[in-house]
Amino acid sequence: MSDTLTPSGLQSSAGLYGQCGVYEFDRNGAIFNPLDLNPYLLFDAESSMIGTLENPTLDLDPTKQESLDVITATRSSVATFIDSSGLIQEAPQDTVRVDYTQGAELTPTKFQLVTNTEFNTVWSKDVSGGASLQVTGGYVSPTGNNDAFKFDLDVGTGGVLFTQNATINPVNAQTLSVYMKGENGGEKVKLALRNTNSTGASGDLITLTSEWQRYTVTLTTSSANRGFQFRLTTSEGVGDQVFYAYGPQLEEGTTATDFVANTSGNPKFIASALYGPRVPMILCEPSATNLVTYSEDFSNAAWTKFGGGTGIAPVVTPDFGTSPDGTVSASRVQFNKGTGTTVGDQSTIFDSEATSSGATTSKSIYLKSNTNEAYEMVIYEVTNASGTNVKKITVTPNWQRFDVYGAVSSTTTGIAIGLREINVSGLSNTADVLVWGAQVETGSVSTSYIPTSGSTVTRAADDLVISGSAFSDFYNASEGTFYFEGVPQNLTDDTIYWMDMSPSNERIAIYDGPAYDVRFFVENTESVSAAYYPAYQLARLAISVKSNAQELSVNGAASVTLTKSSLPSPTSLHIGSRYSLGNHLNGHIKRLIYWPYHSDSL
Amino acid sequence: MALNLSTLTNSATSGDVLAEALTTADFLESVPVLRNLARGSQKGGDAKQGTALNQPKALPYDGKGYLYMPGVIGNHASIPNPLGALDDFTFQVDGLNAGVVRPASTVTLFSQYNAGNSSFIFRQQTSGKVKVVLYCSAGSFVYQSTAIPTNTVGIRVTRVGTLLTYLVDTGSGYVSHDTDTVVDNALIDSTSPFRIGEYGNGDPLLGKMSRARVWNNGTASGTPSIDVDFTATNVRHGDTKFKCATGQVVTINQSGNDPATVIKKSVLRFDGTNDGLQGLFNQTIDSGYMFASFSVLGDGGESLARIFSANSTGAFDYQSGGFTLRRFELNHQIQVRWNGGSEVTHSDVFNGERGDFLLESPLRAGDQNSKINNADADDGACVLPNPVSSEEFGIGSNTAGDGNACIDLEYLALFPSSITDAQAADVVKYINNRNLVFLRHQTDGYYFYDAQNAPVGPITSGSSAWNGRIVGSDFGDSDRYATQSTANHQPVSDGFKVTFADNTDHLDIPSINQAGWQIVGTSLGTFVYRVNANEQIRLNLLGYRGSAGDRKAGDLYGIILLPESATGKDIQEARKMLIDRGASESVTGSSAETFWLSRSDIVEFESVDFSGVANVRFGWNSCSAMTKFNVGSLPDATNVYNAFGSSGLTSFNTDLPLALRVDFAWKDCASLASFGAVDIKNCTNFTSSWQGTSALTSFPAGAKLGTSASNVNFSSAWKSSGLTSFPALELNNGNNFVLAFDACSNLTSLETGISFSANASNIAFYGAFLNCTSLVDFPPRAFDGFGTPANDSFLNTWLGCSALSANSVENILVSIDTSGQSAPSSGPQITISYNVATGSLSAATNTAVTSLKAKGWSIIVNNVTL
C-alpha cells in the first residue's frame, strides 16, 4: 500500500513544511476525504460551530426550491408564472409559484436620439460676432460613401452653435458621438449636450486630426430637453477652420454603440435593454378574474378593429409569432393611422367587458415589434382614456407587458391599443407589432397573466401556510426574528399582509393598509406604524419579538417598538396573507428568514 | 451579540448581515448548533442546544491567532520584570474584539503593578475611555481619554515629555484620538511582572488580544522592549510558555475551567457545568467507530463527564441500547459504557496530561478498544458484548444534559463500525494533518525530556528529577527520571529551559537501550541524529554522552527519542516544535569544535544549517558508529581539522568551500567507501586527510582540492588508503606531496591528465608513491609544469613501486625533464622502482635521463644510478 505522506526516514521525506496543513492526502492515487466513508456524524469546530445569526430555523429562499417544501400552498386553480428562461408557464393547483422576475437593468433600451443625422436639415445655427458657418454635403465619409458634411467656419468675434434638439432621459448619462476630421489637423470642436437655448452640459474641447476619428463624450444633465450641439466659438478656443463630420449620435448610457443613421424625424430604436439574471421570488397574489374573453386570439370578433379619420382598421394575423409563453400564438397586428394627429385619426383594436359602475380596473397586454423598429403607440381604457388610464408606450423588438389602470366611466371597461393621439402625442403613423395576453381585471394593478379563450377566467388566491410540525420545528414561542425581502405591487387598493399567524387570538403580523404605512401588531390589540416604502421596489422588513420588547424596522429605518409583556402562542404562519386567508400581499417575496432569537441575541 | 434591526433591513448593510449568516459562530458566541457536516446516506442530525445557558462557546481561529482571556482572575500572560524605568514610552495592544473596547467592567490591557512596587496600568473602561495610571517618584497619576470608537481593534498610548497621546486603530492604521498633559517623571523601575490582561489587583480582561508591545520611546520606533505577538508562528495553540519576539519567556497563567488559551485552531469550549449538545441519528445505530480530538480543561468537568454519548430514545446512555465514552467518576480515566456494561480504558486523561489528543474507538459488539494519539491501545479487554440500539446522541454531556465535560472540542466524527483498520488509520491521519493534534513522540516516542516540564532549579533527584515520561506513548509511558547527584554537575531549570553551565554538567538517565531518532533542541542548534542503542545512560546538552571533557554549555529546550520507524515528517515536526519553544534552528556561534566528539551512539547526523560556523575541529571525531553525515555543506567552516577522523562514515558528500584545513579530517575512517565530488578548493592543508581510509578505492574526478589556494600540502593525504586508481585531478597548487600516496598498495593507476604542482614552487614529492606496490600505470605529462623542486624532492618517490611499467618510468622522467627544472641543491635523486618484466628502459627514457642528469638530477632506477 503506498502512502505519499509516510515514507520512512528523514531523507526520503525531508521537510515538515511541505506537508503542513495538508489534510486531504493521496491514498493510492485517490484523495482521501473522511466524508467518503459515509459517516453518521462529522463535526469540525472550524466549520461546524454555528452561532445564533448563522442558525435561522426557517429560510425560505426561492433560489433553493427545497427550502419551500415546508409551505402548504393552497390555490384552487392553476396560475401562471415566469420560469427561469423568462417564459410564462402554468403552475398546477396548490403549488408555490416561484416567479423569475426581471433582473436588474444593465443597459437601457437604446435609441438614436438624433432624429436627423444629416447636417443639412433640422440643425440650427446660432450665429454671433459676425461669424458664418457653411455646411455642405457630398464628401467622402468613413464608410466610403459621399455622405459626410463639410463645415467651413469663419468664427468672427463670436462663433456658431450648431444644434439639434432632442428629448433625453435625464436620470441616466447620455453619450454623444460623431466622426470628424480636420482639413489640416489641429482644428478644434467642442461637443455639448445642450439645446438651442444652450442649456445643458459641455464636454472637453476636441482637437481634430486630419484622419477620420469617432469622438465620444458622455454627459449628464438634469432636464429632458437637451440636444446635440457643436460649440464653435471663440470663447471655446475655436478659430477659423474647415472640418468634416459624419454620423452624429446621441444615446442613453455611457457607451457609444454603432452609428445608426436616422432621417425619420423621430428617435430610432437601436437595441433593447440588457438585464441581469432573473431573480426567483415567491409570487403571492389575491384572486383575480381576467374579463377579456379572448386574451390571445385578437382575430376574434370580441376584439374590435377600428380605423378612423386618416387611419384604417388594423389588420390581424392570428398565431403569427412566438408569444411570451413560447408557443406560436401571438397575433400580428398592423396599424396605420395615416398622418393625422387628431383624436379621430386612429387605427386601434379594443375590447369591452362589463364591470361595475365606476370600478377601477387594470388593463394589460404584451406587445412586441414585429420588425426591427420601435413604435410609439398608445394603450388606454376604452371608456375613460385619461389620467392613469392612458399611456404612450414604445414597442420594441422585445416582449413587454404594458398596462394602464383607473376608474371606468360607465359599467363597461376594456383595453384599447393602437395609434391614436388620445391624450398622447408623437405616435408613429404605422406599426407592425405582435400582440398577446390581454388582461382586464378589477383593481389598480395587473396581476399575473390569466389566459382566456371564450370566457372570463378566475385565478384563485395563493394561500401559503406553514403549520403543524413544519411550524413547530422552526418557531420559538418565547422570542424570534422575522426578516422579509419582497416587492409589493399594490399598496393602495386594500390592506396587504406580509405575514400573519393563527389562530386569531395568537397573532403576530406585519401588514399595510391603503391609508397608512407598514405596521405590525402583537396579539390583536397593539399595532404600530413604521416607515413608508414604495410599491414595485424591493422592500426589507424585519420584526423581532420577545417579552416586553417587540420591534419592526423597514428599509433601514429606526425600529418602532411595542412592549407587550406576553407573546402569543401561534400554531401556523401565513405568508403573504392574513390569518383568515384574505388581504394577500399581491407581490413577490424574495426571502423570508426566521431566527428563533430576538435581535438582541443575534 | 446584538443585531440592530435597521442594520438588517438597510439596503446598504443587509447583504453583509445575510452573508455573515452563512459563516460560522463569532468569537465567544454561544453555539446553539454544531453542524453535522456528514452528507451521505447515513447522516444524522446536527448537535443542538436550545437553552442559551447550556450552549458551549466558540473560540474560532481567525487565521492568525490570539490569546483568549476569560475575564477571571488568574488568567493572563506574564513576563517577569522585563522593563527598566520608562521615561518616554509607547504602549500598544492590537487585535482586540469589541468586548474589550466596551467591556462590561473595566479590563486591564497590560500592567506592571504590585502594591508599592508599580510602574503603570493600561486599562479600558466600560465607558470606552482608555485609562492610564503612571507611577513615578512623585506619586501615581491617572489619565484617561475620551471614549474611543466601538470598532477599535488597536490602542496605542505614547508619552513624549508631558504629552500623552491616545491613538486608535479601527482597521486602517493608527490615528490620534485624544491627548493629555502628564507628569514627566520617569516611571518607577518596578520589579513586578509585566501582565497582559490583568493587574495585580484584578480587572481581568474578557476577550482577545493578538499582540502587546511596549517601546521605551514615545515614537514606537525601533525594537520594542516587549513584543508579545500571539500571531507569531512559533506560538502554538494551547502554549503555556513561549519565547516572544523580544526574547522574554511569556507564561500563560491559567485558572479554572475557562482558562486563558492561545487560540491557533478553532475550538468549541464546554464549561464542565451545564454545557452540552444533543442530536438525533435519524436512524437506529447498533455500532460505530468514533474519533474525537479535544483537550481537557481545568478540573475536567463533572463526575462521569461525557465526551460522546448515545442512547435509545427515552433511555440513558449507560443503560441497555446505549453507550458512552466518559470520565470514570471523578477520576482521570476514560470509561466505556456499552449496553449497560463498562470498562476503564485510559488513564491520565481528565487531569490534562494529554494536552490536545485524538481519541479513537471502535464501538461495536465485542470491541470497544480505543486508542489515544494512535497509541496507548487498551489492553484488549474492552470486549463488551451485543450490539446497541441508539437513536440519540450527546456531545459534552448525555442527552439529558448531565455529565458535563470541560473540554475544548476540535473534531468529532462517528463512522460505521465497518470501516477497515486502514480507513481508520486514514481518518486519524486526516484529523492530525488537519488539526495538528499530536506529534509522533506522543504515539511511540521513548522519551521527551521537555524543559517546560523540568522542575525549576537544579536538577537533582526525587521531586527535583526531570522525568522524560511521555504519557500515553506506547514506548515511553513510564517514568524516566534524569538525575544528577553531584551539585556542581547539575543543570538548572527555569521551567522553560535547562541550562548546562559548563563541561561538567550532565544528567544520568535510566538505560533506554533503544535505537531511534534523537532530536535535541538547544541554544547551540537543533540537531537530529539517528542513534544506536549504545551509551544511553547519560545526557549532556547535545544528547548522549561523548567525550566527558568536551561537554558543551548552553540551554536545552528538549530532547526526544523517536523510534527508528519515524518518518521525515515526524522528525521535522518534532524538530520544529523544539525550535518553536526557543531552540536555535541553525548552529549558533562560530565553533562546533568537539561538539560530538566520541559520540559512539550517532549513526546518522541529519542536516542542519552550519552557516557562520568556522571551526568544526574534532566535531565528529571518533563517532565510530556514524555512517552518514547528511549535512550538504559546512559553508563557513575553515578549520575542519580531524573533524571526522576515526568515524564510521561510509560516505561523505559535504562541501567545504571555505575550508583552509582538512588535515586528518577523515583519517582512519576505515569504512569510508565513497567520497563525493566535494568543493574544498580553498584548503591549503590536506595532511593525512584520507590516510588510512582503507575502504576508499576511488576518488571523485570532480573534487576540487585546493584549486583556489597556494602551497597546498597533500603530505600523507591518501597514505595507506584503499585507492586502486586516482583521477586526473588538478593538483597544480600542491607543493607538498610527501608520502601522499605512501603505502597505497592497491593503487594501480593514475588517470592521464593529472597534473602536479604546475603553479607551485619548492615542491616536495619525497616518497609520494612510496611502496605503491601495485602501481603499474603512471600517466605522461604529470610534471610538465612542475615548479621549483625542494631538496629531496623526488627522493624515494617511486621507491618500492615494484609493479610500475617501463612505460611509466618513461612518462615520469620525460615529464620531469620537460618541466625544465634543475635538481635541488640537496637530494637530487629521482628514485624509481619498476617491473623489469615490462621491458627495458626506452630510448626516450634514456634521452630524458641524459637531459635530467645535465640538469643535476641523479636518476636511480631499481637501485641503480643511471
Side-chain angles (χ1 to χ4, degrees):
Chain A
M1 178 171 286
S2 70
D3 184 336
T4 58
L5 283 191
T6 56
S8 181
L10 182 63
Q11 295 309 306
S12 53
S13 182
L16 167 64
Y17 308 104
Q19 295 168 350
C20 247
V22 176
Y23 44 88
E24 287 185 342
F25 55 93
D26 194 320
R27 167 67 76 188
N28 289 335
I31 298 299
F32 176 78
N33 186 327
L35 289 173
D36 295 339
L37 298 179
N38 201 2
Y40 301 123
L41 305 173
L42 197 155
F43 303 104
D44 183 346
E46 182 175 297
S47 48
S48 289
M49 296 191 298
I50 303 300
T52 53
L53 181 64
E54 296 82 14
N55 185 40
T57 49
L58 180 69
D59 186 356
L60 303 183
D61 182 352
T63 65
K64 300 169 183 169
Q65 183 67 40
E66 67 279 7
S67 73
L68 311 182
D69 292 346
V70 294
I71 300 173
T72 299
T74 304
R75 188 185 55 252
S76 58
S77 71
V78 297
T80 60
F81 68 100
I82 299 172
D83 72 10
S84 58
S85 57
L87 295 177
I88 294 175
Q89 301 284 7
E90 189 173 83
Q93 294 182 21
D94 301 333
T95 55
V96 177
R97 285 189 290 167
V98 175
D99 206 33
Y100 282 75
T101 62
Q102 189 72 275
E105 184 179 88
L106 303 177
T107 61
T109 302
K110 291 263 191 173
F111 291 89
Q112 164 63 289
L113 299 176
V114 175
T115 58
N116 196 316
T117 55
E118 298 188 354
F119 293 108
N120 53 0
T121 62
V122 181
W123 295 81
S124 72
K125 297 178 193 172
D126 181 3
V127 178
S128 64
S132 67
L133 174 65
Q134 301 299 320
V135 179
T136 54
Y139 294 88
V140 177
S141 74
T143 66
N145 299 319
N146 295 324
D147 50 3
F149 286 77
K150 179 179 180 181
F151 287 62
D152 189 345
L153 173 67
D154 181 350
V155 76
T157 59
V160 179
L161 302 178
F162 188 68
T163 309
Q164 181 180 138
N165 286 339
T167 302
I168 65 166
N169 175 8
V171 172
N172 293 326
Q174 308 292 317
T175 296
L176 303 90
S177 57
V178 63
Y179 291 90
M180 294 186 286
K181 73 169 185 176
E183 178 83 357
N184 302 307
E187 294 81 359
K188 298 183 186 306
V189 175
K190 177 171 279 190
L191 301 179
L193 183 63
R194 294 177 185 268
N195 56 26
T196 50
N197 293 329
S198 201
T199 304
S202 297
D204 294 332
L205 189 65
I206 297 167
T207 301
L208 305 183
T209 70
S210 59
E211 302 295 330
W212 282 109
Q213 290 188 57
R214 193 183 196 195
Y215 296 95
T216 299
V217 176
T218 298
L219 297 166
T220 301
T221 69
S222 58
S223 173
N225 180 20
R226 293 292 182 260
F228 192 120
Q229 186 175 80
F230 293 82
R231 297 180 69 83
L232 308 171
T233 65
T234 55
S235 62
E236 301 288 3
V238 177
D240 294 347
Q241 60 186 20
V242 174
F243 68 94
Y244 301 86
Y246 165 81
Q249 184 153 302
L250 172 59
E251 59 194 298
E252 187 174 347
T254 58
T255 58
T257 54
D258 291 347
F259 170 65
V260 174
N262 184 17
T263 57
S264 69
N266 291 309
K268 187 168 187 178
F269 176 78
I270 298 176
S272 297
L274 292 177
Y275 297 93
R278 289 182 168 274
V279 180
M281 301 189 195
I282 298 169
L283 181 54
C284 182
E285 294 179 313
S287 172
T289 299
N290 188 353
L291 302 176
V292 175
T293 51
Y294 289 92
S295 65
E296 298 172 13
D297 182 5
F298 295 86
S299 65
N300 189 276
W303 288 93
T304 300
K305 297 85 178 175
F306 185 74
T310 58
I312 59 175
V315 177
V316 175
T317 307
D319 298 333
F320 183 85
T322 301
S323 66
D325 69 355
T327 64
V328 182
S329 58
S331 297
R332 179 186 188 188
V333 183
Q334 294 164 283
F335 298 91
N336 186 343
K337 78 170 179 60
T339 57
T341 58
T342 71
V343 73
D345 300 318
Q346 62 177 295
S347 178
T348 57
I349 182 170
F350 57 89
D351 85 326
S352 295
E353 310 290 347
T355 188
S356 57
S357 177
T360 294
T361 59
S362 175
K363 285 70 65 171
S364 60
I365 194 165
Y366 288 88
L367 295 172
K368 173 189 176 185
S369 171
N370 190 44
T371 69
N372 286 326
E373 302 296 321
Y375 300 104
E376 303 296 325
M377 300 178 66
V378 66
I379 176 173
Y380 59 94
E381 156 67 41
V382 293
T383 69
N384 177 16
S386 63
T388 57
N389 261 331
V390 61
K391 186 188 294 179
K392 179 183 175 182
I393 57 177
T394 301
V395 180
T396 71
N398 277 5
W399 280 109
Q400 297 176 79
R401 193 186 198 195
F402 299 99
D403 65 353
V404 292
Y405 71 95
V408 300
S409 61
S410 66
T411 57
T412 301
T413 185
I415 180 172
I417 59 166
L419 303 174
R420 184 188 186 193
E421 300 203 349
I422 178 170
N423 290 325
V424 296
S425 61
L427 301 188
S428 303
N429 291 333
T430 63
D432 181 357
V433 299
L434 298 178
V435 184
W436 187 83
Q439 185 158 309
V440 176
E441 58 193 304
T442 300
S444 61
V445 300
S446 299
T447 62
S448 60
Y449 173 58
I450 305 166
T452 66
S453 180
S455 60
T456 62
V457 173
T458 297
R459 183 201 61 238
D462 296 288
D463 294 326
L464 308 175
V465 179
I466 301 176
S467 59
S469 62
F471 178 80
S472 58
D473 282 350
F474 86 81
Y475 191 71
N476 179 9
S478 58
E479 59 177 313
T481 299
F482 283 97
Y483 171 74
F484 280 89
E485 284 182 3
V487 181
Q489 294 182 160
N490 188 349
L491 298 173
T492 57
D493 288 353
D494 198 358
T495 297
I496 58 102
Y497 274 73
W498 287 90
M499 60 164 278
D500 199 354
M501 290 178 164
S502 63
S504 60
N505 59 344
E506 303 286 354
R507 297 171 60 198
I508 297 174
I510 309 175
Y511 64 101
D512 193 323
Y516 41 75
D517 301 326
V518 64
R519 297 180 170 216
F520 84 115
F521 67 71
V522 179
E523 282 205 302
N524 271 341
T525 56
E526 296 198 21
S527 66
V528 63
S529 179
Y532 167 80
Y533 62 111
Y536 293 106
Q537 292 185 23
L538 187 69
R540 296 177 175 84
L541 307 91
I543 60 171
S544 193
V545 300
K546 65 179 179 181
S547 294
N548 300 312
Q550 303 93 42
E551 59 178 304
L552 162 68
S553 173
V554 179
N555 283 348
S559 292
V560 294
T561 59
L562 291 173
T563 55
K564 290 282 291 184
S565 59
S566 64
L567 296 178
S569 299
T571 57
S572 62
L573 171 68
H574 295 251
I575 302 166
S577 70
R578 195 165 184 252
Y579 75 96
S580 55
L581 300 180
N583 301 101
H584 289 80
L585 173 65
N586 200 352
H588 289 88
I589 295 174
K590 184 182 177 189
R591 193 84 179 267
L592 168 53
I593 303 175
Y594 176 79
W595 291 273
Y597 316 101
H598 188 268
S599 58
D600 288 348
S601 301
L602 288 177
Chain B
M1 306 299 166
L3 174 65
N4 190 324
L5 275 196
S6 61
T7 303
L8 178 59
T9 62
N10 189 310
S11 61
T13 54
S14 180
D16 292 339
V17 175
L18 297 186
E20 171 70 16
L22 297 176
T23 63
T24 53
D26 295 331
F27 171 71
L28 273 188
E29 188 175 3
S30 295
V31 174
V33 173
L34 191 63
R35 184 78 75 220
N36 181 12
L37 304 178
R39 290 291 175 265
S41 58
Q42 302 179 125
K43 67 177 180 179
D46 296 335
K48 300 178 181 179
Q49 176 52 261
T51 303
L53 182 66
N54 300 344
Q55 290 165 353
K57 64 188 175 190
L59 295 175
Y61 178 48
D62 60 2
K64 296 178 180 176
Y66 57 86
L67 176 65
Y68 159 69
M69 288 169 277
V72 176
I73 290 290
N75 290 281
H76 63 275
S78 64
I79 298 171
N81 185 24
L83 292 164
L86 292 172
D87 195 349
D88 288 353
F89 62 77
T90 300
F91 298 158
Q92 182 171 322
V93 289
D94 295 291
L96 307 175
N97 63 307
V100 174
V101 180
R102 289 290 186 281
S105 57
T106 298
V107 297
T108 305
L109 300 171
F110 57 64
S111 68
Q112 193 173 6
Y113 175 92
N114 199 7
N117 185 20
S118 304
S119 183
F120 57 85
I121 306 174
F122 181 23
R123 280 190 288 202
Q124 182 66 13
Q125 302 188 95
T126 57
S127 60
K129 298 175 180 177
V130 180
K131 186 174 183 178
V132 178
V133 185
L134 303 180
Y135 297 86
C136 56
S137 58
S140 61
F141 301 87
V142 179
Y143 308 97
Q144 64 182 20
S145 71
T146 57
I148 61 175
T150 56
N151 60 341
T152 296
V153 295
I155 304 170
R156 177 190 289 172
V157 175
T158 64
R159 183 177 80 168
V160 178
T162 58
L163 177 63
L164 193 72
T165 304
Y166 305 91
L167 303 97
V168 296
D169 176 11
T170 57
S172 304
Y174 278 97
V175 295
S176 179
H177 172 74
D178 197 2
T179 59
D180 255 329
T181 300
V182 300
V183 62
D184 191 21
N185 298 55
L187 303 186
I188 288 174
D189 184 6
S190 169
T191 57
S192 303
F194 176 82
R195 293 188 178 95
I196 298 170
E198 194 174 308
Y199 84 105
N201 287 343
D203 289 349
L205 187 145
L206 170 59
K208 67 176 182 177
M209 183 187 298
S210 65
R211 196 170 190 180
R213 279 177 282 184
V214 177
W215 283 265
N216 63 357
N217 59 63
T219 55
S221 56
T223 303
S225 301
I226 292 177
D227 183 358
V228 182
D229 184 1
F230 299 103
T231 71
T233 56
N234 71 302
V235 182
R236 297 184 172 215
H237 181 90
D239 271 359
T240 54
K241 284 184 181 176
F242 62 89
K243 187 181 288 186
C244 67
T246 40
Q248 300 94 341
V249 176
V250 179
T251 299
I252 308 301
N253 301 275
Q254 297 179 320
S255 177
N257 282 355
D258 186 12
T261 306
V262 174
I263 297 296
K264 289 294 183 90
K265 50 188 169 185
S266 297
V267 296
L268 181 62
R269 177 157 291 188
F270 293 75
D271 66 359
T273 302
N274 45 32
D275 287 353
L277 298 168
Q278 291 85 40
L280 301 174
F281 288 118
N282 295 332
Q283 60 192 300
T284 300
I285 67 166
D286 62 7
S287 60
Y289 201 123
M290 192 215 70
F291 301 82
S293 64
F294 59 100
S295 54
V296 173
L297 307 173
D299 65 10
E302 296 181 333
S303 173
L304 305 176
R306 266 62 167 188
I307 300 163
F308 182 69
S309 158
N311 56 268
S312 295
T313 303
F316 289 100
D317 55 8
Y318 53 82
Q319 295 175 325
S320 176
F323 63 92
T324 181
L325 289 155
R326 69 181 190 182
R327 184 178 196 172
F328 178 44
E329 298 178 343
L330 269 175
N331 299 318
H332 299 150
Q333 300 158 315
I334 289 180
Q335 179 194 51
V336 172
R337 291 284 302 194
W338 180 264
N339 245 337
S342 66
E343 175 77 17
V344 171
T345 54
H346 300 278
S347 300
D348 290 316
V349 173
F350 282 88
N351 54 2
E353 285 283 338
R354 307 277 183 158
D356 286 348
F357 65 97
L358 174 54
L359 170 66
E360 63 168 307
S361 179
L363 294 164
R364 54 194 168 213
D367 180 13
Q368 305 88 35
N369 291 288
S370 56
K371 292 192 287 186
I372 288 179
N373 294 339
N374 201 27
D376 196 20
D378 193 36
D379 57 7
C382 203
V383 290
L384 299 165
N386 301 322
V388 294
S389 175
S390 295
E391 291 85 30
E392 301 172 343
F393 68 88
I395 300 172
S397 74
N398 62 20
T399 55
D402 300 323
N404 302 97
C406 191
I407 59 174
D408 273 349
L409 180 68
E410 300 164 17
Y411 197 98
L412 189 150
L414 182 70
F415 295 87
S417 62
S418 57
I419 65 171
T420 65
D421 290 347
Q423 287 170 329
D426 285 347
V427 175
V428 169
K429 183 183 297 178
Y430 175 93
I431 295 172
N432 204 30
N433 284 345
R434 180 178 177 76
N435 284 20
L436 297 176
V437 182
F438 64 92
L439 298 179
R440 177 63 184 263
H441 72 271
Q442 293 167 283
T443 298
D444 53 5
Y446 292 107
Y447 57 71
F448 177 20
Y449 288 97
D450 180 358
Q452 294 192 16
N453 286 340
V456 174
I459 294 173
T460 58
S461 60
S463 61
S464 294
W466 186 12
N467 197 348
R469 177 189 177 193
I470 306 171
V471 173
S473 166
D474 282 348
F475 299 152
D477 194 2
S478 60
D479 290 334
R480 295 213 160 95
Y481 288 107
T483 60
Q484 178 52 264
S485 58
T486 304
N488 64 358
H489 296 175
Q490 291 164 351
V492 177
S493 167
D494 64 1
F496 185 73
K497 62 184 183 299
V498 175
T499 300
F500 291 70
D502 55 36
N503 66 357
T504 68
D505 280 5
H506 66 280
L507 295 164
D508 296 324
I509 59 173
S511 177
I512 309 300
N513 199 30
Q514 292 291 345
W517 293 92
Q518 189 179 51
I519 302 99
V520 183
T522 79
S523 57
L524 302 183
T526 301
F527 306 103
V528 175
Y529 328 117
R530 188 158 72 89
V531 297
N532 57 28
N534 297 338
E535 300 294 338
Q536 298 179 352
I537 57 172
R538 198 164 297 157
L539 291 179
N540 64 41
L541 177 67
L542 296 178
Y544 295 130
R545 73 176 183 183
S547 172
D550 292 295
R551 297 187 187 109
K552 301 306 170 191
D555 297 326
L556 177 61
Y557 295 87
I559 299 183
I560 299 170
L561 182 63
L562 299 180
E564 285 191 297
S565 60
T567 67
K569 178 173 181 283
D570 297 332
I571 294 164
Q572 289 301 333
E573 283 178 341
R575 183 170 182 270
K576 178 71 164 51
M577 177 189 67
L578 296 177
I579 293 167
D580 285 349
R581 287 176 171 221
S584 175
E585 180 171 4
S586 57
V587 184
T588 59
S590 61
S591 176
E593 181 176 340
T594 68
F595 269 24
W596 298 276
L597 176 62
S598 298
R599 280 282 299 271
S600 61
D601 59 294
I602 295 176
V603 177
E604 285 186 47
F605 190 95
E606 295 306 323
S607 182
V608 63
D609 182 2
F610 273 87
S611 295
V613 178
N615 180 11
V616 294
R617 192 170 179 271
F618 284 101
W620 298 267
N621 187 277
S622 299
C623 288
S624 56
M626 187 176 77
T627 58
K628 293 182 180 176
F629 183 73
N630 294 321
V631 178
S633 177
L634 295 170
D636 297 313
T638 55
N639 187 350
V640 191
Y641 172 73
N642 223 335
F644 303 94
S646 300
S647 72
L649 282 175
T650 57
S651 62
F652 187 84
N653 203 12
T654 302
D655 282 338
L656 302 164
L658 300 185
L660 302 176
R661 295 187 60 182
V662 296
D663 40 332
F664 300 91
W666 301 274
K667 183 175 182 290
D668 295 330
C669 290
S671 300
L672 185 65
S674 171
F675 198 86
V678 297
D679 176 1
I680 322 177
K681 62 178 177 293
N682 288 305
C683 185
T684 59
N685 194 342
F686 292 89
T687 300
S688 297
S689 292
W690 297 275
Q691 183 176 345
T693 54
S694 54
L696 188 67
T697 57
S698 63
F699 205 80
K704 295 178 180 175
L705 307 181
T707 51
S708 297
S710 58
N711 298 322
V712 181
N713 185 347
F714 288 101
S715 62
S716 300
W718 294 275
K719 182 176 180 178
S720 301
S721 71
L723 290 172
T724 59
S725 63
F726 197 79
L729 292 184
E730 194 265 273
L731 299 172
N732 287 322
N733 296 334
N735 73 343
N736 186 345
F737 290 88
V738 173
L739 301 174
F741 297 90
D742 176 28
C744 290
S745 57
N746 295 322
L747 183 65
T748 59
S749 64
L750 280 71
E751 187 180 2
T752 298
I754 195 169
S755 177
F756 292 106
S757 306
N759 303 324
S761 60
N762 194 29
I763 305 161
F765 248 77
Y766 174 84
F769 297 94
L770 181 65
N771 294 325
C772 289
T773 54
S774 300
L775 181 62
V776 176
D777 296 319
F778 198 94
R781 299 183 297 280
F783 303 106
D784 283 4
F786 201 75
T788 309
N791 290 339
D792 299 328
S793 177
F794 288 110
L795 180 63
N796 296 336
T797 299
W798 290 273
L799 183 64
C801 296
S802 54
L804 196 65
S805 69
N807 187 53
S808 295
V809 177
E810 176 184 316
N811 290 340
I812 292 166
L813 294 176
V814 168
S815 183
I816 294 173
D817 183 45
T818 301
S819 74
Q821 295 293 342
S822 299
S825 58
S826 175
Q829 297 90 339
I830 301 174
T831 312
I832 301 174
S833 301
Y834 93 105
N835 181 3
V836 296
T838 61
S840 56
L841 299 178
S842 66
T845 302
N846 292 331
T847 301
V849 168
T850 302
S851 177
L852 287 167
K853 288 168 70 174
K855 295 169 186 165
W857 292 96
S858 172
I859 298 92
I860 303 169
V861 177
N862 286 350
N863 294 320
V864 177
T865 302
L866 301 181

